[in-house]
């Protein structure tokens, strides 16, 4: 019986041995493209918890589907089905005539989509004034003006992330529970790899069950090494070790995961400040980018999240996820008005290529096309 099992497992271990460097202590192999002999890799648990296993299985299914999927869909195809886009389109269809009722409903639509009361009022008051001055001959002219106003409000935060100024360029990814930090990191790794950059991931989320395994799955898929320790290890220590490894191997980009935390948990928020202090011992400017991942479905609660994380660790850029299926996509405008922080990326789907560099004109075009029935 023992020989039988050996015959079954030996062929499965061979490919990993050919593509990975074995750990000096455990003899296990981690699928990595770089020989990180000194990195604190750990063996994956053989039986993760059921919810974590289900989560990783769902990611694998989505990733397998991605391989056979057609070319990525446009912003309009991704956003046209969102509640925000449908609400705006329906408004112009039902109100081809420019009147106070149309403008009042437009204001309600913007507020409902979490654009924010102040922003919605400013936009509609400006359109109301221009309507009174007879600037618009029909709803089509007002549609063009509204599109222009929305783009103008987002242009200042349309600032792509440039990781070419440092080596390694350290990106620290933070956010509350469930916003999709680890998935976003996997998509970032895919993007940087497609730009021919060497990437290293740091499994700094040592709190959530199977978080390390989830990140290692993304690392294997993107052919990117992952520096990790055991569950419960000190997060700052893991990321410090990863920076040392990245420096010694001349890696272009280090992307570090962190544990999800509520913005109201002061103790966990203090841990982020500790990570910055520890990294500063190796590089006074690290992390060079602190990306806060925001779930686009949370609406105005995102404002409070940004404020708290900004105070705790100094957020320098935003990633807004899950915009393709939410009625709350207007929060992008509220964030732009309140903080003026660069929106580096937006999530428009499950596939790796659906993490897009933020484009104000393309985003507005997805919500509100140039022509609509009734406009």
């Amino acid at each position: 019986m023992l020989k039988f099992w050996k015959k079954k497992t030996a062929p499965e271990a061979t490919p990993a041995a050919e593509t990975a460097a074995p750990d000096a202590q455990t003899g296990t192999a981690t699928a990595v493209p770089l020989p990180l002999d000194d990195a604190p890799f750990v063996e994956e648990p053989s039986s993760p918890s059921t919810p974590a296993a289900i989560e990783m299985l769902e990611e694998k299914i989505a990733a397998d589907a991605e391989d056979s999927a057609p070319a990525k869909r446009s912003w309009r195809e991704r956003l046209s089905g969102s509640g925000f886009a449908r609400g705006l389109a329906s408004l112009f269809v039902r109100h081809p005539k420019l009147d106070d009722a149309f403008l009042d409903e437009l204001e309600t639509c913007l507020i409902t989509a979490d654009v924010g009361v102040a922003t919605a009022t400013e936009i509609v008051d400006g359109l109301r004034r221009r309507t009174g001055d007879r600037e618009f001959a029909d709803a089509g002219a007002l549609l063009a003006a509204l599109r222009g106003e929305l783009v103008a409000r987002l242009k200042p935060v349309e600032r792509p992330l440039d990781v070419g100024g440092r080596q390694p360029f350290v990106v620290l990814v933070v956010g509350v529970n469930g916003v999709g930090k680890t998935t976003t990191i996997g998509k970032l790794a895919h993007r940087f790899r497609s730009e021919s950059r060497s990437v290293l991931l740091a499994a700094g989320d040592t709190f959530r069950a199977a978080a390390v395994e989830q990140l290692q799955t993304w690392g294997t898929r993107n052919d990117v090494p992952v520096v990790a320790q055991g569950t419960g290890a000190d997060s700052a220590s893991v990321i410090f070790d990863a920076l040392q490894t990245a420096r010694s191997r001349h890696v272009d980009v280090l992307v570090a995961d962190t544990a999800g935390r509520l913005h109201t948990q002061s103790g966990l928020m203090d841990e982020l400040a500790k990570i910055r202090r520890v990294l500063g011992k190796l590089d006074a400017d690290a992390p060079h980018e602190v990306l806060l991942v925001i779930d686009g479905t949370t609406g105005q609660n995102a404002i409070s999240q940004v404020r708290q994380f900004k105070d705790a660790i100094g957020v320098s850029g935003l990633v807004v996820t899950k915009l393709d299926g939410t009625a709350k996509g207007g929060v992008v405008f509220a964030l732009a008005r309140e903080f003026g922080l660069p929106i580096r990326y937006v999530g428009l789907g499950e596939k790796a290529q659906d993490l897009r560099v933020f484009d104000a004109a393309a985003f507005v075009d997805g919500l509100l096309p140039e022509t609509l029935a009734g406009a």
Side-chain angles (χ1 to χ4, degrees):
M1 181 63 72
L2 179 60
K3 291 182 179 180
F4 172 78
W5 284 112
K6 286 184 176 180
K7 289 180 181 180
K8 291 294 183 180
T9 57
E12 296 177 2
T14 301
E18 292 175 351
T19 59
D23 185 277
Q25 295 179 355
T26 65
T28 58
T30 304
V32 298
L34 298 177
L36 302 178
D37 299 328
D38 299 328
F41 293 109
V42 294
E43 186 177 0
E44 293 187 14
S46 58
S47 56
S49 62
T50 300
I54 293 174
E55 182 178 4
M56 294 198 311
L57 178 60
E58 288 174 344
E59 283 191 356
K60 184 180 185 303
I61 292 172
D64 291 340
E66 174 189 334
D67 289 337
S68 58
K72 70 178 184 181
R73 297 161 65 190
S74 68
W75 288 70
R76 183 177 299 179
E77 290 174 314
R78 284 298 187 189
L79 293 173
S80 60
S82 71
F84 189 15
R86 291 198 306 268
L88 287 173
S90 174
L91 174 62
F92 279 91
V93 170
R94 290 183 288 103
H95 289 278
K97 181 181 178 181
L98 300 183
D99 53 21
D100 286 338
F102 170 84
L103 292 171
D104 288 342
E105 192 167 342
L106 173 60
E107 184 173 9
T108 300
C109 180
L110 294 174
I111 292 174
T112 302
D114 276 322
V115 167
V117 175
T119 302
T121 301
E122 290 174 2
I123 291 174
V124 174
D125 283 351
L127 293 176
R128 196 186 305 275
R129 183 172 56 257
R130 295 171 66 180
T131 301
D133 294 339
R134 299 185 181 278
E135 287 190 34
F136 309 129
D138 52 28
L142 187 143
L143 172 62
L146 176 59
R147 281 169 49 89
E149 178 67 22
L150 294 176
V151 171
R153 289 177 176 272
L154 294 180
K155 271 294 182 182
V157 298
E158 182 190 88
R159 285 176 275 168
L161 177 61
D162 179 10
V163 298
R166 299 268 188 165
Q167 191 187 48
F169 190 95
V170 182
V171 180
L172 187 66
V173 181
V174 301
V176 302
N177 301 291
V179 296
K181 292 187 305 302
T182 306
T183 301
T184 296
I185 290 172
K187 294 178 180 180
L188 283 173
H190 174 84
R191 171 174 290 277
F192 294 144
R193 288 284 287 168
S194 69
E195 296 171 353
S196 300
R197 301 183 189 276
S198 57
V199 183
L200 179 67
L201 303 182
D205 184 354
T206 57
F207 179 76
R208 181 170 61 90
V212 173
E213 291 88 337
Q214 185 183 4
L215 193 66
Q216 287 173 332
T217 299
W218 276 106
T220 301
R221 178 165 181 78
N222 291 308
D223 199 23
V224 169
V226 179
V227 174
Q229 294 179 15
T231 301
D234 181 65
S235 180
S237 174
V238 175
I239 299 173
F240 180 85
D241 289 341
L243 180 55
Q244 284 184 314
T245 302
R247 285 161 62 96
S248 65
R249 303 300 180 185
H250 305 290
V251 172
D252 293 326
V253 186
L254 168 63
V255 185
D257 194 8
T258 60
R261 64 206 71 215
L262 296 176
H263 52 286
T264 55
Q265 295 174 316
S266 59
L268 290 176
M269 295 297 285
D270 290 342
E271 185 180 77
L272 294 178
K274 176 184 176 181
I275 292 174
R276 179 182 286 279
R277 290 195 305 271
V278 170
L279 291 179
K281 296 178 180 179
L282 287 179
D283 184 342
D285 296 325
H288 308 112
E289 177 79 7
V290 179
L291 281 179
L292 173 61
V293 181
I294 294 291
D295 184 337
T297 66
T298 59
Q300 288 293 303
N301 189 44
I303 301 295
S304 177
Q305 292 177 25
V306 175
R307 185 174 292 114
Q308 296 293 332
F309 277 95
K310 188 170 180 288
D311 291 342
I313 195 169
V315 175
S316 55
L318 303 176
V319 180
V320 186
T321 63
K322 308 177 187 179
L323 285 176
D324 52 316
T326 178
K328 303 293 186 180
V331 71
V332 172
F333 297 93
L335 292 171
R337 183 184 190 277
E338 183 75 18
F339 302 103
L341 288 169
I343 299 176
R344 306 297 195 185
Y345 304 98
V346 292
L348 302 180
E350 296 298 325
K351 301 180 180 62
Q353 62 265 34
D354 289 331
L355 183 70
R356 311 284 180 90
V357 174
F358 182 65
D359 183 326
F363 180 74
V364 171
D365 187 61
L367 296 176
L368 198 60
E370 292 183 5
T371 57
L372 290 170

